[in-house]
Amino acid sequence: MPTTLPAPIAAAFLSVIALGAPAAADIPQAYQALLAEAAERQDDDARFLETADMVAVLVEGGRAAVHADILAHLPHRAGAVADWPLPDPVAAPAPASTPVPQPEHRDLGGAPIDLSEAPEGSGGWLAGSIRMLRPDSWAGHVRAGLQLERGNSELTDFTFAIELDRELEHGWRIDSQFEYFLSENAANTTRDNWLVELRTTRELDSGIGYYGGGSYERDLVGLYERSAFVTAGGIWHALDGPKLDWVLRAGAGQRFREDRLNGETYTDWVAEAGSSLHYQISETARFGSETTAFLGGGSRIDQRFTLTNRLFGNWAVQTGLRIEHEFDVRPGYEPTDARLDISLLYAFD
């Protein structure tokens, strides 16, 4: 169960922030007061260690600085952090003729925050939560496109998508995507579709790994009004270079479909084969290809190609082509659908 700081500790912490008292030791005075209050009121070493974890995330020097401060001012609590590292020995002072640069004074509001110093493996929920807020944790892009036609027809097409990717420890990675498409002809909505995808992979040092994931799609004009799949299997990072990156995957799972005409649903076992390829054409141009094929009940091939051209900063224009082919043949429905998108994209990492 997550632990919370008692109200008296939080009050003391905030009062010290408001006072903005100057720091008199290696860590800001506000953090010294927080540790002292926790040492006095928290009888359990585990709860005191939780507070120390949080402070170690926020101060320069991390655990070593907090450990040294506890030894100097709270020796009766030294056992709680006995496994923490100690700071390096202080170097001998420079000769008097050489000016020694003085460290910049910072109060709590300007304390240097190195989120990478969150104690690993401590299990502390406070330190872990702060580590999750690292600005470089997520990468991805947001894109939107709009097409207007006026004259013989009044057609409006709108597309929106957001992609979020995250690299985790020990080779883990999360890739997710949400896409939305809306088309209106005069006052009638001819397409109101959306797609959600999520894939989690773990790659080992050899380039071999495994994955699990799935997707859910609504298509008001296609053969199936709703379709989804869940699969798991293995991956092989065939190419991993500065310009060319290629990952192959193969697995098995289930595919769900709902017939648009009669509402009948189907659930079938399928084998999956996939490919993800990215090629850096130049400093400003990048090509991407994503292929997913299902073999079994409801066989299907889905191919997506993108060409992204950076304009300036994090802004780019992306041209995308998606081709879907359902192997089920139904009267009145084409087995292949193709869509071309041109969107403005903002990337972040």
Side-chain angles (χ1 to χ4, degrees), residues 45-92:
D45 275 353
R47 296 191 62 189
F48 173 75
L49 185 61
E50 185 68 52
T51 304
D53 270 348
M54 180 190 69
V55 174
V57 176
L58 298 173
V59 300
E60 187 174 11
R63 280 183 164 183
V66 175
H67 192 175
D69 187 81
I70 291 174
L71 290 177
H73 302 100
L74 306 169
H76 61 291
R77 287 291 195 169
V81 294
D83 295 333
W84 286 13
L86 285 172
D88 295 332
V90 179

Side-chain angles (χ1 to χ4, degrees), residues 277-295:
L277 182 145
H278 296 91
Y279 177 66
Q280 193 71 37
I281 302 173
S282 67
E283 292 184 358
T284 59
R286 181 178 177 88
F287 172 78
S289 170
E290 180 80 21
T291 301
T292 301
F294 295 120
L295 180 62

Side-chain angles (χ1 to χ4, degrees), residues 107-161:
D107 59 13
L108 178 62
I113 299 177
D114 183 5
L115 295 179
S116 64
E117 274 294 318
E120 302 291 343
S122 65
W125 72 274
L126 287 172
S129 299
I130 293 173
R131 185 167 60 248
M132 291 286 289
L133 297 177
R134 291 174 55 183
D136 60 344
S137 295
W138 293 93
H141 65 251
V142 178
R143 58 182 168 86
L146 181 66
Q147 176 179 315
L148 301 176
E149 292 185 20
R150 295 294 184 268
N152 294 324
S153 64
E154 294 187 1
L155 183 66
T156 302
D157 292 328
F158 172 77
T159 63
F160 172 81

Side-chain angles (χ1 to χ4, degrees), residues 266-277:
Y266 311 91
T267 302
D268 301 285
W269 287 96
V270 293
E272 180 191 15
S275 165
S276 298
L277 182 145

